Amino acid sequence: MSLLALVLAHLVVAGLLPWVARWNRRAAFGIAALLPAATLGWALTRLGPALGPGVSESLAWAPALDLGYTVRLDALGIVMIVLVGGIGALVLAYSAWYFADDGEEASRSAALLLAFAGVMLGLVLADDLLTLYVFWELTSVASFLLVGQGGLHRANRRAAVQALLMTVFGGLAMLLGVVLLGQAAGTFVISEIVAAPPTGGAVTAALALILVGALTKSAQVPFHPWLPAAMVAPTPVSAYLHAAAMVKAGVVVVARLSPGFADRPQWWVPVVAFGLVTMLLGGWRAMQETDLKRLLAFGTISQLGFLMVLFGTGDRIAEIAALTMLLAHGLFKAPLFMVVGAIDETAGTREAGELSGLGRARPGLAAVSALAAASMAGVPFLLGFLGKEAAFEGVLHPGGPRGWLIGVGLLVGSVLTVAYSARFLWGAFATKPGVDAVGAVAPPAGLTVPAWIAAGAGLVLGCAPPLTDALAQRYAAAYPAADAEEAGYHLALWHGFSVPLLFSAVALGLGYLLHRWRARAATVHRALRFPITAERSYELVVAGTERFAVRFTGRVQAGSLPVYLGVLLATVLLLPGVALLLGGVLPEDQRLVDALMQIPLGLGVVVAALVLPRARRRFTAVLLLGAIGYGIGGLFVVDGGPDLALAQFLVETLTLVVFVLVLRRLPAHFDARPEVSPRRAVQVRKGALAALVGIFVAAAGVVLSGVRQQPSAVSAQYVALAPETGAENVVAAILVDFRALDTVGEITVLMVAIAGTASLALATRYDRRPRGSGSGTPEHEKELLG
């Protein structure tokens, strides 16, 4: 089985699941879980090649344009398959017991979750920017559908729209950055770009645009509000998309490009700065939340900021820590979401103030939560501890102000992580004075076993560092080591007494004290509350955009054809017109006249165009329009385009016939002149706009026709393959063979036009309206013809 087949299989099976769900809901989730699990098993069998040169596959769909679908399985890909495939299989199995038997969300969610797993798999394995972008946008669409569910609830609709607006905005910026980077590098293959990174101003702009996309998808400040809002989605969706998989997309993009650009300030400075701010803000907000899902959501934001910092620094040890924390985060955050879902299903609430005594009533849930939360806090013998200690070592080892500044920032963020981890356990399972103990029933095994598997994996990998170290070392090999100590660093439970170990101990101690002082922290939070938050800013931007759209539409959609035409022409001048003025270069060998016949034909077109606005009779205006069209057709003949001339003559003839038939039912003259003539200033503005647009069209035609100095690769293929069609003319071969469907469509359009013309002509035979109206009378015909 190939990588390409795995991605396609997810999408195909997802399309069949709704029919399976109608028969048996749990069977649908079970079948859906098998494919991600099989993907994980297949990837582990390719572990050797993946840790070596990597496993690459490509499928060319436009070789002449160097466009194809390229995927690559390497160390980073293996880690992401563990999250996408392994956690995905557990979440799908969990969903079989979470969704109601008769709920409509079941069949929809099973198909969408599996489809999301497929597109996310394509994203994390993509080795070219265009492929990555396609799957990037597909994950946004899948997230929109999963968060919105059936669209029956306002909160779901609002959260889905907010997530879509945020991520699509970043995606559009990222698309422009992808194009700029690919053009500057001469290739869109990520591994080739990283091996020989390009330079220049365009590359700097491309990196900034790509980072906008990465920051929005991974919920970095100030684009983070969509993630807590998305917690209205069902818990399995939150556990998969918003903890283990989708929110890692931006982190994966940074991880893919960092080996080539991490040494550049325009890359690592914004990544580290936004990451640190996000880690601190997310951790602080998580401490203040009482809804357990929102607490975990802000904790996810904080952890994503942590990952951004590590992947952005470019230090070899920090990259080892980054890959370790990437794996650890999925293994401890997904089971915590699953536990919240189990609590909500059995206790009927997930508010910390309403839960009391649940730890004694359900010690199994408390134990798995403690295991996962301890890994999140960085307690020894768990995978989170390995990652955090390596992170402290990575940022502190180089020394200097930069290293200590980042190190202190990570320490403060880790203190907050310990605090909200303790707050989660206290809020969910502690016995609270004055609060009645909840009477939660025992959750089914389907809601607890997947959480135990994920949290237990964090314990196993934490106690066996070499398993994760092999993956982390392979990814970090792309970063040069500054000294022998950095080159020889490996994940381990004990590195001796060191500053990183001290930082870990300080984080655990101060974090626990901060949790004990949570009342004082809440007081400080209320005192520091600002009137304008990120969520409020989003609301103001959306509302302001709507108001601007209403006012702008009211101005330009005024019911006036000249206004519509003026807006369109002004837009042409402001966008491509400015670009042509700044970057257009006239061809050096441009000649004014190529053939003598161009002169009379061109003069005839110009004279007819100048006389046309002065015409007062409709029939005269139609004849002048026809003269312009026939003159352009004559230029086509002179320039060697008889096929274009024929089409032009045909269109002009049909148009003239239609106009004549229509004019028989209209007054001979245009509307009488108004008593008050248009202002001179209005006429001058219209004339100036028309003249500028005409100059732009002429200049664009000259410039664009001279840009290409030789036939394109596609044109060369047309010429090479034309003899096989039996045609003696390459244009005929293109129209009849290579663009057959397009040609059939054009013929259909012409047939519709001919049928419409014939219908108008035949309709006059049945005109029985009174002749007294003046329309169609002999007097009218005489006036019409002059």
Side-chain angles (χ1 to χ4, degrees):
M1 184 180 295
S2 66
L3 297 171
L4 299 173
L6 283 172
V7 175
L8 183 61
H10 280 73
L11 303 180
V12 171
V13 175
L16 301 175
L17 284 181
W19 283 272
V20 179
R22 293 177 184 176
W23 167 64
N24 189 300
R25 177 184 57 84
R26 288 188 177 177
F29 282 108
I31 294 173
L34 292 177
L35 200 51
T39 300
L40 175 60
W42 178 89
L44 294 179
T45 63
R46 301 295 189 276
L47 189 59
L51 296 182
V55 179
S56 297
E57 294 180 8
S58 61
L59 177 65
W61 59 274
L65 300 178
D66 196 24
L67 295 178
Y69 173 61
T70 305
V71 293
R72 177 181 174 82
L73 180 64
D74 54 9
L76 179 60
I78 290 289
V79 170
M80 288 307 301
I81 286 180
V82 171
L83 300 179
V84 174
I87 299 296
L90 294 177
V91 169
L92 285 165
Y94 174 92
S95 301
W97 275 265
Y98 180 87
F99 287 101
D101 292 335
D102 55 350
E104 295 183 1
E105 297 88 354
S107 59
R108 181 190 305 111
S109 296
L112 288 175
L113 283 171
L114 185 60
F116 170 81
V119 297
M120 191 67 196
L121 183 63
L123 188 153
V124 301
L125 296 178
D127 193 33
D128 70 86
L129 294 172
L130 295 178
T131 300
L132 184 146
Y133 176 75
V134 170
F135 286 111
W136 181 279
E137 294 297 349
L138 289 176
T139 59
S140 297
V141 174
S143 174
F144 171 79
L145 296 174
L146 284 166
V147 173
Q149 288 294 299
L152 300 179
H153 302 288
R154 183 178 181 274
N156 288 81
R157 295 195 302 269
R158 185 187 182 282
V161 170
Q162 182 176 4
L164 187 68
L165 288 178
M166 287 280 193
T167 55
V168 169
F169 163 76
L172 291 175
M174 182 179 174
L175 176 60
L176 180 56
V178 163
V179 173
L180 291 175
L181 183 59
Q183 290 296 320
T187 179
F188 288 94
V189 178
I190 298 175
S191 55
E192 296 179 5
I193 294 175
V194 171
T199 58
V203 175
T204 300
L207 296 179
L209 292 167
I210 290 173
L211 283 180
V212 171
L215 295 176
T216 54
K217 185 76 82 172
S218 289
Q220 302 294 287
V221 172
F223 308 110
H224 64 284
W226 71 264
L227 184 56
M231 292 302 107
V232 298
T235 298
V237 174
S238 301
Y240 193 24
L241 274 69
H242 307 135
M246 181 185 135
V247 291
K248 301 292 198 324
V251 176
V252 169
V253 170
V254 173
R256 289 290 185 196
L257 296 178
S258 277
F261 301 100
D263 59 337
R264 304 184 187 184
Q266 58 265 41
W267 176 263
W268 71 263
V269 170
V271 172
V272 172
F274 280 103
L276 280 176
V277 173
T278 302
M279 184 181 185
L280 297 176
L281 179 63
W284 178 258
R285 285 297 307 273
M287 285 184 54
Q288 317 306 322
E289 293 295 332
T290 58
D291 184 297
L292 296 180
K293 276 189 73 173
R294 286 182 59 85
L295 186 155
L296 293 178
F298 279 106
T300 299
I301 293 172
S302 179
Q303 293 292 319
L304 291 172
F306 188 17
L307 290 172
M308 282 289 190
V309 173
L310 296 180
F311 278 113
T313 57
D315 182 84
R316 187 177 183 277
I317 300 178
E319 302 311 319
I320 294 175
L323 204 74
T324 305
M325 286 304 302
L326 182 66
L327 179 60
H329 179 263
L331 294 178
F332 63 64
K333 189 57 65 70
L336 289 175
F337 271 104
M338 294 181 194
V339 168
V340 171
I343 293 174
D344 198 10
E345 287 288 301
T346 56
T349 181
R350 57 175 189 253
E351 279 290 328
E354 300 175 4
L355 293 170
S356 180
L358 190 61
R360 295 179 180 177
R362 295 290 166 250
L365 281 180
V368 68
S369 298
L371 188 61
S375 182
M376 181 165 62
V379 174
F381 299 104
L382 293 163
L383 189 58
F385 169 75
L386 297 180
K388 285 197 174 181
E389 190 178 30
F392 291 137
E393 178 66 32
V395 298
L396 295 177
H397 177 75
R402 171 196 166 185
W404 280 97
L405 179 63
I406 297 175
V408 172
L410 294 185
L411 175 59
V412 176
S414 298
V415 170
L416 294 173
T417 302
V418 175
Y420 67 71
S421 299
R423 179 176 176 80
F424 175 85
L425 294 176
W426 173 85
F429 301 104
T431 300
K432 304 175 182 67
V435 180
D436 295 335
V438 295
V441 298
L447 296 181
T448 57
V449 172
W452 272 107
I453 294 175
L459 176 62
V460 172
L461 294 176
C463 294
L467 296 177
T468 307
D469 186 64
L471 293 169
Q473 292 289 341
R474 180 55 189 168
Y475 172 76
Y479 298 84
D483 51 41
E485 182 180 354
E486 188 173 340
Y489 183 88
H490 290 273
L491 294 175
L493 285 170
W494 178 253
H495 287 100
F497 293 102
S498 60
V499 175
L501 181 62
L502 176 62
F503 271 38
S504 296
V506 169
L508 290 172
L510 291 182
Y512 177 73
L513 291 177
L514 184 59
H515 164 65
R516 294 295 300 270
W517 299 334
R518 57 185 176 274
R520 299 179 183 178
T523 302
V524 174
H525 176 70
R526 287 191 294 269
L528 295 177
R529 181 170 295 178
F530 295 99
I532 300 298
T533 62
E535 177 66 22
R536 180 58 179 162
S537 299
Y538 163 78
E539 294 172 353
L540 291 175
V541 169
V542 172
T545 303
E546 291 178 351
R547 286 195 296 269
F548 172 78
V550 170
R551 293 179 181 177
F552 183 79
T553 304
R555 293 288 185 179
V556 299
Q557 298 293 323
S560 171
L561 183 59
V563 172
Y564 295 162
L565 187 59
V567 171
L568 293 175
L569 297 180
T571 304
V572 170
L573 288 177
L574 290 176
L575 298 179
V578 173
L580 180 67
L581 182 64
L582 297 177
V585 179
L586 293 175
E588 297 179 358
D589 58 347
Q590 183 68 36
R591 291 175 295 185
L592 185 61
V593 176
D594 290 316
L596 291 178
M597 282 300 296
Q598 289 178 337
I599 297 176
L601 289 171
L603 287 176
V605 171
V606 172
V607 170
L610 292 175
V611 175
L612 179 61
R614 309 296 299 176
R616 292 292 174 260
R617 299 175 61 85
R618 286 186 167 87
F619 190 72
T620 303
V622 169
L623 292 179
L624 289 172
L625 281 174
I628 294 173
Y630 284 115
I632 294 174
L635 290 173
F636 288 154
V637 174
V638 173
D639 292 336
D643 53 335
L644 295 177
L646 180 61
Q648 181 72 18
F649 291 149
L650 179 59
V651 170
E652 288 299 330
T653 303
L654 289 175
T655 304
L656 185 60
V657 171
V658 171
F659 268 125
V660 170
L661 292 172
V662 172
L663 288 179
R664 295 181 68 248
R665 299 190 175 273
L666 296 174
H669 293 79
F670 289 108
D671 294 339
R673 292 187 177 183
E675 296 181 1
V676 180
S677 301
R679 290 181 298 173
R680 188 72 176 177
V682 174
Q683 293 179 331
V684 170
R685 286 200 298 266
K686 291 181 178 180
L689 180 61
L692 288 174
V693 172
I695 294 171
F696 161 74
V697 172
V702 173
V703 171
L704 297 178
S705 63
V707 168
R708 180 173 291 168
Q709 301 298 323
Q710 58 185 2
S712 67
V714 175
S715 299
Q717 290 294 317
Y718 279 147
V719 174
L721 297 175
E724 299 182 11
T725 66
E728 298 180 357
N729 186 309
V730 67
V731 176
I734 292 172
L735 294 177
V736 176
D737 292 275
F738 303 141
R739 292 176 53 192
L741 292 178
D742 188 16
T743 304
V744 171
E746 294 175 353
I747 293 173
T748 304
V749 172
L750 291 176
M751 291 297 295
V752 171
I754 294 172
T757 304
S759 299
L760 286 172
L762 294 174
T764 60
R765 297 175 55 188
Y766 304 99
D767 185 8
R768 299 180 179 177
R769 292 188 304 172
R771 294 292 184 176
S773 65
S775 175
T777 62
E779 293 77 10
H780 178 74
E781 297 287 349
K782 182 177 180 181
E783 182 186 10
L784 184 66
L785 297 175

